[in-house]
Amino acid sequence: MAPDSTLNSRRNVSRPKETLYVTASNAKKSLTAGGIQSIGVFLSRLFIKDGLQLSLLSRPRTPITEQLSGESNKDCADFSSKTEDFAVPRRNAMALILSSYIFSGVSFQSVAFAQQSVIGLREYIDSFDGYSFKYPSNWIQVRGAGADIFFRDPYVLDENISVEFSSPSSSNYKSVEDLGPPQEAGKKVLKQYLTEFMSTRLGVRRESKILSTSSRIADDGKLYYQVEVNIKSYANNNELAVMPKDRLVRMEWDRRYLSVLGVENNQLYELRLQTPENVFVEEESDLRRVMESFRVNKIAA
Protein backbone atom coordinates (compact mmCIF):
# COMPACT_ATOMS: atom_id res chain seq x y z
CA MET A 1 0.00 0.00 0.00
CA ALA A 2 1.38 3.14 -0.89
CA PRO A 3 1.10 6.40 1.14
CA ASP A 4 -0.43 9.74 0.13
CA SER A 5 2.20 11.66 -1.70
CA THR A 6 2.67 14.44 -4.19
CA LEU A 7 4.36 14.22 -7.52
CA ASN A 8 7.83 15.67 -7.56
CA SER A 9 7.92 18.63 -9.89
CA ARG A 10 10.18 18.63 -12.92
CA ARG A 11 12.05 21.63 -14.16
CA ASN A 12 13.62 21.66 -17.60
CA VAL A 13 16.57 23.99 -17.99
CA SER A 14 17.20 25.11 -21.57
CA ARG A 15 20.76 25.24 -22.82
CA PRO A 16 22.18 26.73 -26.02
CA LYS A 17 22.15 23.94 -28.57
CA GLU A 18 25.75 24.46 -29.63
CA THR A 19 27.10 24.04 -26.10
CA LEU A 20 27.68 20.76 -24.28
CA TYR A 21 27.46 21.04 -20.49
CA VAL A 22 29.08 18.38 -18.34
CA THR A 23 28.67 18.39 -14.56
CA ALA A 24 31.37 16.59 -12.64
CA SER A 25 31.61 15.69 -8.97
CA ASN A 26 34.24 17.53 -6.92
CA ALA A 27 34.58 14.53 -4.61
CA LYS A 28 37.09 12.99 -6.97
CA LYS A 29 39.82 14.58 -9.04
CA SER A 30 38.68 17.07 -11.69
CA LEU A 31 40.00 17.88 -15.12
CA THR A 32 42.80 20.37 -15.44
CA ALA A 33 42.25 23.66 -17.22
CA GLY A 34 44.31 22.41 -20.15
CA GLY A 35 42.23 19.24 -20.40
CA ILE A 36 38.98 21.19 -20.39
CA GLN A 37 40.33 23.53 -23.06
CA SER A 38 41.40 20.56 -25.21
CA ILE A 39 37.96 18.98 -24.96
CA GLY A 40 36.37 22.34 -25.76
CA VAL A 41 38.47 22.74 -28.91
CA PHE A 42 37.82 19.19 -30.00
CA LEU A 43 34.08 19.49 -29.41
CA SER A 44 33.95 22.79 -31.25
CA ARG A 45 35.43 21.07 -34.26
CA LEU A 46 32.90 18.29 -33.98
CA PHE A 47 29.84 20.47 -33.61
CA ILE A 48 30.54 23.69 -35.54
CA LYS A 49 31.17 24.01 -39.23
CA ASP A 50 30.94 27.35 -41.05
CA GLY A 51 29.12 28.78 -38.02
CA LEU A 52 26.27 26.22 -38.27
CA GLN A 53 25.31 23.52 -35.76
CA LEU A 54 26.16 19.93 -36.67
CA SER A 55 23.78 17.34 -35.26
CA LEU A 56 25.06 14.37 -33.28
CA LEU A 57 23.14 12.20 -35.71
CA SER A 58 25.00 13.57 -38.75
CA ARG A 59 27.92 11.46 -39.87
CA PRO A 60 29.86 13.18 -42.69
CA ARG A 61 31.89 11.05 -45.01
CA THR A 62 35.02 13.22 -44.65
CA PRO A 63 36.64 14.82 -41.60
CA ILE A 64 36.30 18.56 -40.92
CA THR A 65 39.30 20.40 -42.29
CA GLU A 66 38.09 24.00 -42.60
CA GLN A 67 40.01 26.55 -40.57
CA LEU A 68 38.14 28.04 -37.64
CA SER A 69 38.06 31.72 -36.83
CA GLY A 70 41.18 32.78 -34.90
CA GLU A 71 43.01 29.55 -35.59
CA SER A 72 46.55 29.54 -36.99
CA ASN A 73 47.38 27.86 -40.27
CA LYS A 74 49.78 25.48 -38.53
CA ASP A 75 47.17 24.32 -35.97
CA CYS A 76 44.65 23.83 -38.72
CA ALA A 77 47.08 21.78 -40.81
CA ASP A 78 48.06 19.63 -37.83
CA PHE A 79 44.46 18.91 -37.00
CA SER A 80 43.61 18.13 -40.64
CA SER A 81 46.42 15.61 -40.98
CA LYS A 82 45.37 13.88 -37.76
CA THR A 83 41.72 13.68 -38.72
CA GLU A 84 42.57 12.30 -42.14
CA ASP A 85 44.56 9.49 -40.51
CA PHE A 86 42.01 8.85 -37.78
CA ALA A 87 38.52 9.91 -38.85
CA VAL A 88 35.89 8.97 -36.27
CA PRO A 89 32.13 9.49 -36.68
CA ARG A 90 30.80 12.06 -34.23
CA ARG A 91 28.66 9.65 -32.23
CA ASN A 92 31.66 7.33 -31.78
CA ALA A 93 33.87 10.28 -30.93
CA MET A 94 31.46 11.43 -28.21
CA ALA A 95 31.35 7.92 -26.77
CA LEU A 96 35.14 7.79 -26.80
CA ILE A 97 35.45 11.14 -25.04
CA LEU A 98 32.88 10.35 -22.36
CA SER A 99 34.21 6.85 -21.69
CA SER A 100 37.75 8.22 -21.34
CA TYR A 101 36.42 10.86 -18.99
CA ILE A 102 34.69 8.27 -16.82
CA PHE A 103 37.58 5.82 -16.63
CA SER A 104 39.98 8.64 -15.78
CA GLY A 105 38.48 8.59 -12.29
CA VAL A 106 36.14 11.56 -12.59
CA SER A 107 32.56 10.67 -11.76
CA PHE A 108 29.59 12.46 -13.27
CA GLN A 109 26.95 13.91 -11.00
CA SER A 110 23.80 12.29 -12.27
CA VAL A 111 20.54 14.18 -12.18
CA ALA A 112 17.46 12.00 -11.78
CA PHE A 113 13.85 13.02 -11.56
CA ALA A 114 12.24 10.51 -9.19
CA GLN A 115 8.53 10.26 -9.67
CA GLN A 116 6.84 9.05 -6.53
CA SER A 117 3.74 6.96 -6.88
CA VAL A 118 0.57 8.84 -6.15
CA ILE A 119 -1.47 6.33 -4.16
CA GLY A 120 -4.07 7.48 -1.65
CA LEU A 121 -6.95 5.85 0.15
CA ARG A 122 -10.38 5.38 -1.35
CA GLU A 123 -13.48 4.88 0.77
CA TYR A 124 -15.79 1.94 0.28
CA ILE A 125 -19.30 2.34 1.71
CA ASP A 126 -21.81 -0.50 1.86
CA SER A 127 -25.03 1.12 3.01
CA PHE A 128 -27.00 -2.07 2.38
CA ASP A 129 -24.97 -4.24 4.80
CA GLY A 130 -23.94 -1.40 7.11
CA TYR A 131 -20.17 -0.85 7.06
CA SER A 132 -17.47 1.30 5.49
CA PHE A 133 -13.67 1.45 5.33
CA LYS A 134 -10.82 2.91 3.33
CA TYR A 135 -8.44 0.94 1.14
CA PRO A 136 -5.49 1.78 -1.14
CA SER A 137 -6.81 3.33 -4.34
CA ASN A 138 -4.65 1.14 -6.57
CA TRP A 139 -5.98 -2.12 -5.15
CA ILE A 140 -8.44 -4.10 -7.25
CA GLN A 141 -11.67 -5.80 -6.26
CA VAL A 142 -11.79 -9.59 -6.56
CA ARG A 143 -15.18 -11.25 -6.83
CA GLY A 144 -15.97 -14.75 -5.70
CA ALA A 145 -13.36 -14.70 -2.91
CA GLY A 146 -15.84 -15.88 -0.28
CA ALA A 147 -16.03 -12.60 1.68
CA ASP A 148 -18.69 -9.92 1.37
CA ILE A 149 -16.08 -7.62 -0.20
CA PHE A 150 -12.47 -8.33 -1.13
CA PHE A 151 -9.69 -6.06 -2.42
CA ARG A 152 -6.06 -6.97 -3.04
CA ASP A 153 -2.81 -5.43 -4.14
CA PRO A 154 -2.34 -6.11 -7.88
CA TYR A 155 1.40 -6.69 -7.39
CA VAL A 156 1.74 -8.18 -3.88
CA LEU A 157 -0.91 -10.88 -4.15
CA ASP A 158 -0.59 -11.89 -0.49
CA GLU A 159 -1.69 -8.41 0.59
CA ASN A 160 -5.45 -7.98 0.72
CA ILE A 161 -8.42 -6.70 2.70
CA SER A 162 -11.87 -8.16 3.22
CA VAL A 163 -14.99 -7.77 5.34
CA GLU A 164 -17.15 -10.51 6.80
CA PHE A 165 -20.10 -10.40 9.18
CA SER A 166 -22.37 -12.81 11.00
CA SER A 167 -25.76 -13.77 9.69
CA PRO A 168 -28.48 -11.40 10.88
CA SER A 169 -30.87 -14.34 11.42
CA SER A 170 -28.54 -16.37 13.65
CA SER A 171 -26.77 -13.70 15.74
CA ASN A 172 -27.91 -11.21 18.31
CA TYR A 173 -24.84 -9.19 19.33
CA LYS A 174 -25.35 -6.09 21.43
CA SER A 175 -21.72 -5.04 21.72
CA VAL A 176 -18.28 -6.27 20.78
CA GLU A 177 -17.84 -6.92 24.50
CA ASP A 178 -20.06 -9.98 24.01
CA LEU A 179 -16.84 -11.65 22.83
CA GLY A 180 -15.25 -10.99 26.21
CA PRO A 181 -12.20 -8.77 26.77
CA PRO A 182 -9.85 -8.07 23.82
CA GLN A 183 -7.53 -10.89 24.89
CA GLU A 184 -10.31 -13.46 24.67
CA ALA A 185 -11.44 -12.06 21.34
CA GLY A 186 -7.86 -12.39 20.09
CA LYS A 187 -7.82 -16.11 20.92
CA LYS A 188 -11.06 -16.63 19.02
CA VAL A 189 -9.75 -14.75 16.01
CA LEU A 190 -6.52 -16.77 15.94
CA LYS A 191 -8.42 -20.05 16.27
CA GLN A 192 -10.61 -19.05 13.35
CA TYR A 193 -7.58 -18.24 11.19
CA LEU A 194 -5.90 -21.56 11.96
CA THR A 195 -9.11 -23.43 11.15
CA GLU A 196 -9.37 -21.72 7.78
CA PHE A 197 -5.70 -22.34 6.94
CA MET A 198 -5.77 -25.99 7.95
CA SER A 199 -3.96 -28.09 5.36
CA THR A 200 -4.20 -31.76 4.46
CA ARG A 201 -0.70 -31.84 2.95
CA LEU A 202 1.91 -34.00 4.64
CA GLY A 203 4.71 -32.24 6.44
CA VAL A 204 2.94 -28.86 6.81
CA ARG A 205 3.38 -27.11 10.12
CA ARG A 206 2.01 -23.75 11.26
CA GLU A 207 3.42 -21.47 13.93
CA SER A 208 1.17 -18.75 15.27
CA LYS A 209 1.05 -16.19 18.03
CA ILE A 210 -1.03 -13.23 19.11
CA LEU A 211 1.02 -10.06 18.77
CA SER A 212 -1.39 -7.56 20.32
CA THR A 213 -4.99 -6.97 21.29
CA SER A 214 -6.60 -3.63 22.06
CA SER A 215 -9.86 -1.73 22.14
CA ARG A 216 -10.78 1.80 21.08
CA ILE A 217 -13.78 4.04 20.83
CA ALA A 218 -13.98 5.62 17.38
CA ASP A 219 -15.42 8.99 16.44
CA ASP A 220 -18.82 7.35 15.88
CA GLY A 221 -18.96 6.51 19.59
CA LYS A 222 -18.79 2.75 19.03
CA LEU A 223 -16.35 0.32 20.64
CA TYR A 224 -14.00 -1.64 18.37
CA TYR A 225 -11.53 -4.42 19.09
CA GLN A 226 -8.22 -4.73 17.21
CA VAL A 227 -6.32 -8.01 17.03
CA GLU A 228 -2.93 -8.65 15.42
CA VAL A 229 -1.57 -12.14 14.90
CA ASN A 230 1.39 -13.64 13.08
CA ILE A 231 1.26 -17.01 11.31
CA LYS A 232 4.18 -18.80 9.68
CA SER A 233 3.78 -21.82 7.46
CA TYR A 234 6.50 -24.49 7.13
CA ALA A 235 6.61 -27.47 4.81
CA ASN A 236 8.99 -30.27 3.85
CA ASN A 237 10.55 -30.08 0.44
CA ASN A 238 10.13 -33.84 0.05
CA GLU A 239 7.45 -35.06 2.41
CA LEU A 240 7.47 -38.60 0.96
CA ALA A 241 11.17 -39.16 1.61
CA VAL A 242 11.95 -42.16 3.83
CA MET A 243 14.98 -40.72 5.59
CA PRO A 244 14.44 -37.72 7.87
CA LYS A 245 17.59 -36.05 6.52
CA ASP A 246 15.95 -35.91 3.09
CA ARG A 247 12.93 -34.06 4.44
CA LEU A 248 14.20 -30.52 4.73
CA VAL A 249 11.82 -28.02 6.30
CA ARG A 250 11.46 -24.60 4.67
CA MET A 251 9.23 -21.64 5.45
CA GLU A 252 6.49 -21.13 2.85
CA TRP A 253 5.19 -17.78 4.04
CA ASP A 254 5.25 -15.38 6.98
CA ARG A 255 2.17 -13.14 7.29
CA ARG A 256 0.57 -10.70 9.64
CA TYR A 257 -3.21 -10.63 10.08
CA LEU A 258 -4.91 -7.51 11.38
CA SER A 259 -8.54 -7.77 12.44
CA VAL A 260 -10.96 -5.05 13.52
CA LEU A 261 -14.18 -6.18 15.20
CA GLY A 262 -17.33 -4.13 15.61
CA VAL A 263 -21.01 -4.75 16.37
CA GLU A 264 -24.07 -3.10 14.83
CA ASN A 265 -27.48 -4.26 13.60
CA ASN A 266 -27.13 -7.21 16.04
CA GLN A 267 -24.31 -8.50 13.85
CA LEU A 268 -20.58 -8.98 14.40
CA TYR A 269 -18.47 -7.36 11.67
CA GLU A 270 -14.83 -8.14 11.02
CA LEU A 271 -12.38 -6.24 8.83
CA ARG A 272 -9.46 -8.51 7.86
CA LEU A 273 -6.18 -7.17 6.58
CA GLN A 274 -3.52 -9.64 5.45
CA THR A 275 0.04 -8.70 4.54
CA PRO A 276 3.48 -10.34 4.43
CA GLU A 277 5.58 -9.43 7.45
CA ASN A 278 8.29 -7.74 5.37
CA VAL A 279 5.66 -5.57 3.66
CA PHE A 280 4.06 -4.68 6.98
CA VAL A 281 7.34 -3.23 8.22
CA GLU A 282 7.39 -0.83 5.27
CA GLU A 283 3.68 0.06 5.22
CA GLU A 284 2.71 -0.11 8.88
CA SER A 285 1.50 3.49 9.21
CA ASP A 286 -0.74 3.22 6.14
CA LEU A 287 -2.12 -0.17 7.12
CA ARG A 288 -3.06 1.19 10.52
CA ARG A 289 -4.89 4.05 8.83
CA VAL A 290 -6.93 1.44 6.99
CA MET A 291 -7.71 -0.35 10.26
CA GLU A 292 -8.78 2.86 11.99
CA SER A 293 -11.09 3.77 9.10
CA PHE A 294 -13.39 0.78 9.64
CA ARG A 295 -16.92 1.73 10.74
CA VAL A 296 -20.12 -0.23 11.27
CA ASN A 297 -23.30 1.66 10.49
CA LYS A 298 -26.98 1.36 11.27
CA ILE A 299 -28.97 -0.09 8.41
CA ALA A 300 -32.00 1.98 7.56
CA ALA A 301 -35.23 0.02 8.03
Side-chain angles (χ1 to χ4, degrees):
M1 176 180 325
D4 296 323
S5 60
T6 57
L7 186 64
N8 288 344
S9 59
R10 301 187 178 187
R11 180 182 179 185
N12 296 324
V13 181
S14 60
R15 302 288 193 187
K17 292 183 178 180
E18 67 277 5
T19 307
L20 175 66
Y21 286 84
V22 179
T23 303
S25 171
N26 292 328
K28 296 183 179 180
K29 68 176 184 178
S30 60
L31 292 176
T32 62
I36 295 176
Q37 182 178 4
S38 299
I39 290 180
V41 172
F42 192 77
L43 291 178
S44 66
R45 287 183 173 276
L46 292 177
F47 292 101
I48 303 175
K49 179 180 180 182
D50 295 334
L52 299 177
Q53 177 189 356
L54 292 177
S55 170
L56 280 173
L57 300 179
S58 64
R59 306 180 71 174
R61 299 176 182 273
T62 59
I64 301 174
T65 58
E66 286 78 2
Q67 184 173 356
L68 298 177
S69 176
E71 185 180 35
S72 66
N73 295 333
K74 182 178 182 301
D75 292 338
C76 179
D78 291 341
F79 182 83
S80 300
S81 62
K82 294 177 181 178
T83 54
E84 290 173 354
D85 295 335
F86 186 68
V88 181
R90 285 173 176 76
R91 294 177 68 179
N92 294 347
M94 281 300 302
L96 179 62
I97 294 172
L98 296 179
S99 62
S100 300
Y101 184 67
I102 292 173
F103 287 108
S104 65
V106 181
S107 63
F108 286 99
Q109 179 182 359
S110 61
V111 180
F113 296 97
Q115 179 177 348
Q116 297 179 358
S117 58
V118 183
I119 302 176
L121 296 180
R122 180 180 299 172
E123 187 172 24
Y124 178 84
I125 301 176
D126 189 334
S127 56
F128 180 80
D129 291 312
Y131 65 87
S132 65
F133 63 93
K134 293 181 180 179
Y135 66 97
S137 59
N138 69 323
W139 285 19
I140 59 175
Q141 182 177 354
V142 178
R143 302 185 183 277
D148 188 67
I149 190 67
F150 188 96
F151 291 95
R152 78 176 183 190
D153 190 307
Y155 304 105
V156 183
L157 302 184
D158 285 343
E159 190 172 27
N160 54 64
I161 188 172
S162 61
V163 173
E164 299 180 3
F165 49 84
S166 61
S167 171
S169 60
S170 59
S171 61
N172 189 24
Y173 289 93
K174 299 301 181 182
S175 169
V176 72
E177 292 178 308
D178 292 347
L179 298 173
Q183 294 78 7
E184 291 298 321
K187 295 178 182 178
K188 295 177 182 178
V189 169
L190 179 58
K191 182 179 180 181
Q192 181 64 29
Y193 277 130
L194 294 177
T195 301
E196 294 176 3
F197 296 148
M198 188 177 297
S199 175
T200 57
R201 291 183 298 147
L202 296 176
V204 174
R205 175 172 56 86
R206 300 279 160 75
E207 289 185 0
S208 61
K209 62 180 177 179
I210 298 175
L211 300 177
S212 68
T213 58
S214 61
S215 63
R216 63 180 175 86
I217 297 178
D219 53 9
D220 59 356
K222 297 184 178 67
L223 179 65
Y224 295 86
Y225 282 174
Q226 294 187 168
V227 179
E228 298 183 28
V229 302
N230 171 263
I231 301 178
K232 295 180 176 67
S233 178
Y234 297 87
N236 294 330
N237 64 337
N238 187 7
E239 62 274 9
L240 298 179
V242 177
M243 302 301 294
K245 64 178 182 179
D246 296 327
R247 297 192 297 268
L248 300 179
V249 179
R250 60 179 178 84
M251 186 170 65
E252 294 182 306
W253 44 263
D254 181 10
R255 301 172 187 162
R256 179 168 300 208
Y257 296 90
L258 310 151
S259 293
V260 183
L261 306 170
V263 170
E264 186 57 272
N265 307 307
N266 297 329
Q267 296 172 261
L268 175 64
Y269 294 79
E270 180 182 12
L271 174 82
R272 291 185 169 192
L273 189 57
Q274 170 186 299
T275 180
E277 274 291 343
N278 59 340
V279 176
F280 176 79
V281 173
E282 300 175 357
E283 303 178 355
E284 179 177 0
S285 60
D286 299 299
L287 295 177
R288 295 198 183 282
R289 287 174 55 199
V290 173
M291 295 176 63
E292 294 172 357
S293 70
F294 183 59
R295 299 288 185 273
V296 292
N297 308 311
K298 193 72 175 178
I299 299 176

